[in-house]
Amino acid sequence: MSKTSLVYLTITCAVLMTVPTAFLYATGTNIPTDHAFSNRPNTCNGDKTTATFYDNNTPRSYGSKLRQDYLIGNHMLRAIYGFTNLDDEIGFTVYLMCEPGKNDPDFPAKGAFRLCFTKDGQAIAFPGRISSLKSVKTLAMASEVEISAMARGIGDVELTSWIAEDNRTIYFEITAKDTRDVELRLESAFEDSKSVDRKGIPISPGAPIPSVAAGKWEFALTWDETPTWVEKIDIIERHNAVTDRTRIYLDNTALADRTNALAPILSACIRKDGRLSAGAHRAYNGAWIRDGVMDSMGMLYAGSDDTWNVLSYLLSNVPPKKGQIEENGMLIFGFYQYWLATGSDKVKSVLPTLMPFVWDLFRPECYDNATGLLISSTEGYWERHWLGSACEFSQNLWAVIAARSYIELAKNLGFEDDFDTLDAKADALMKNIPRFIVDGRFVKRLLPGGEVQWKGTVIRGCSLGENTYHGQFAKPEDHKETKAELDPDVQTCVSWLWGLASPDDPVCKKTADEIWKLYDQDWSGGGLSRYNVFSDPDRETAGPWFLASLMMARAYALQQDWKRVGQIIDWADREFLGCGWSERISRCHPSDDPDRYIHEILNWPAGEWLMLVFREGAGLYPTEQGLSIVPHLPKELSGLQIENFKYRGHLYDIAYHGVGCKIERIEFDGKVISSNILPAKNGKVNVYLTSSKKL
C-alpha cells in the first residue's frame, strides 16, 4: 500500500439525596397498582420475549459455571440476582437510582438481601450456589425473571420476580414443594457500610413472611422517603406487551436469547434522564462518552427507544475530557448514526453544541508541526496519561470521522458552517495518516517529530473495583515501575472497522495479524487483551478484555477471517455472566475462582456484541438512501432471522439463508430486487448468501 492510497470511504455506507428506606410488604394491603395477583397473566400476550438463560438439563453452554448475574429493572431501580460457586454469596442486590438531574452518585442507596428459608431451626439461603440452579428464564426482557433451583432440605423452589413500569417496587412470587415446618424470611445481607461511596438500605427485621397458601408466598419490596412497616399488600403490575420489539432468531437459541436480552438490560441501567452507568452494579459508576455512544449504537440497531436520551445526556452532562480526541469524534458520530437510522429532525437542535466539538480538534495548537498530525497528552481509549504527549493513531482517525460525520449531518439538516475549510482540514490530516505505517502495519503512537513510541512506563494501578483481591498473587516485579512494549493495541483496527480503509488492504491485514498476538498472550483459555499485556498497569490481574475482544470480532468479520471471529464468539459465549460480561479476566486467579472476573458486569461489551450481530454480521447499515445490506455473517450466527428491524419508521423482517458475505440475491416481499438498498416501506426480506469455503 502506498502512502497515498489510504483514502476515506464514505461513512454513510456503512449532590446526594436522602437515603430512602426499603419496605417489605406481603399480600393484602393496598398500594397504587394496576393489577392484582389474580389478574396477572401467565404469558406476555404476544410479546415474544421469553428467553432461557440457564438450563442444567441441556448440554448447551449457558456461560460461566463460576458466576451468573441476572438483572431486572426500570429507569428508577434495578435488582441483580447473583450466583457463584461459593457458599456465602448474597442472594440479590437492589440499587435505587437518583432522581433525574442529580449528579453522582447515580445510586444514592444500595441494599443487598437474602431470601432465607428456616426449617428445623436451620437457615437455608435461597438462591444459593450456582450448582443449585436448574433454570433461569425471563418473560419480559429485563423486567421479569423466573428462577428454578434446589434449596437444601426443601427441594424444588420456584421464584418469579418482576419490576413494575413506573414505581420503586420489586414483586416476588415464591413456591416450594416441601414446606412442612418451613418459614420464609427476607434478610438484609448488607448493613450500613463504612465505605465512603455507599449507604446500606435498612429494612424491617426479618420476621416470617405470611404465606398465601401452602408453599406459596407473595410479597413486595418497595422504597420511600420514610420508613413504614406494612404487613400486607395487593400486587401486581406487569410490563405491557410489546409487539414491535426487535428480536433475532438463530440456530443457537441460547445465543439468540442473550442477544435479545442485552438491549433491554442496557435500558434497565439507564436513569430517567438518560444517564447510562458504565456498569450494572455501583462499583463502576461513571458515565463515559466512549461507553455510552457505543452502547447507544448497539441499542439503536437492536430497536431500543433509549438511544436519543443517552446521547443527549452525554452531550449535556459529560463533556469530552481534555486530550480525549476520540470522545469528540464518537459523540458526533453517535448523533450522525442516530439521524441515519431514524431520520429525526430533532438532531438539528444539537448541531450548535456539536459544532465547537469538531472545530476544537483542528486548532493550530493541537498539531505536531513536524508531522501534521494531532497530538494529545492522553492515550486514546485507555487514558494512560503518564505515557506522555504523542500522536495517537486512533485519535487522529476519530478526528477525521468527526469532521466527515458533522459535515454530512449538518448539510442534510440545513445547518450552515464553513464546510469547505473543515473538509480541507480533514483531508490534510488523512494524508498524514500513513506516517503510522511501520513495517507494513499501523503502529499505535508517534512521538512529537514522528519517531515511533515503542515503549512506555508501566505504573502499578490495579483497577479492581469491589474485589476480594489484595495482591496475594503479585510477584515482586509487579510492584516495580518499569518500561514495556506498547504495541500491539486493538484500537489500531479503527482504520477499517469504521470505513477509513479497505479491510482487505495489506496494511490492514498485517495490522490484524499483529493484533492477534494479543489472543492468549500470557494465559490460556481465549480472549484478547486491550493492548500488550506486559504494559498494563493492572499488572498480574491484567488479561483478556471482553470489550477489546468483541471489537476485534467485528474487525475480523469485515476481513472474512472467520476462524478468528469464531474463536472470539466461542470464548465470549463460554464466559457469559448471565446479563453481560465483566471488564476482563485476571490471568493470575485460579481458573475455578469467580473473582477472576474483574469488576462487575460492564455495559460496553454488550454494545459491541449487538453491533457484531446487527451491523457487521447482518450487515445492516442505515444510509441516507435507505437501509443497506452488506453482510459478513459467521457460521456461529447461522440461521439468523431478525424481526421488526427499525429504520426511519419502517419495520423489516429479515431472514438470512447461508452464511458469509457473498450475496446471491435479495428478495423483498417475494420479489428479487436489483440493489442491496431496501425499499422504504415495511416488508419481508430474504437474503440468500453463497457460503465461503473458508467457513
Side-chain angles (χ1 to χ4, degrees), residues 635-655:
K635 62 181 176 62
E636 288 76 15
L637 301 181
S638 62
L640 176 62
Q641 298 180 53
I642 304 174
E643 269 187 350
N644 297 320
F645 186 85
K646 301 176 182 179
Y647 169 77
R648 297 199 169 193
H650 308 300
L651 294 177
Y652 298 98
D653 291 343
I654 309 172

Side-chain angles (χ1 to χ4, degrees), residues 83 115 117 124-128 132-135 146-160 173-179 182 184 215-217:
F83 299 82
L115 286 168
F117 290 103
I124 304 167
F126 179 86
S132 72
L133 278 179
K134 296 179 66 179
S135 68
E146 286 187 351
I147 298 172
S148 176
M150 289 287 294
R152 176 173 45 86
I154 294 178
D156 292 346
V157 178
E158 307 288 336
L159 179 150
T160 301
E173 181 180 274
I174 299 175
T175 59
K177 289 185 177 180
D178 186 358
T179 58
V182 172
L184 177 64
K216 185 173 184 178
W217 296 265

Side-chain angles (χ1 to χ4, degrees), residues 355-372:
M355 181 172 65
F357 282 27
V358 63
W359 283 102
D360 283 352
L361 297 175
F362 298 96
R363 289 177 289 116
E365 61 267 31
C366 297
Y367 285 88
D368 171 42
N369 293 328
T371 62

Side-chain angles (χ1 to χ4, degrees), residues 104-117:
D104 290 339
D106 187 28
F107 307 108
K110 162 197 172 181
F113 306 103
R114 183 182 294 111
L115 286 168
C116 188
F117 290 103

Side-chain angles (χ1 to χ4, degrees), residues 320 324-333 357-358 360-361 402:
Q324 295 299 121
I325 296 172
E326 75 278 7
E327 292 194 336
N328 295 57
M330 289 181 182
L331 191 53
I332 294 168
F333 186 60
F357 282 27
V358 63
D360 283 352
L361 297 175

Side-chain angles (χ1 to χ4, degrees), residues 7 64 93 140 167 204 215 271 276 284-285 289 305 326 328 346 361 378 402 484 509 520 525 532 544 582:
V7 296
S64 172
T93 310
N167 64 43
S204 299
R271 205 167 63 185
L276 173 59
Y284 218 70
N285 191 36
I289 289 177
D305 296 327
E326 75 278 7
N328 295 57
K346 66 183 177 182
L361 297 175
T378 303
K509 287 282 194 178
D520 274 349
N532 192 317
S582 64

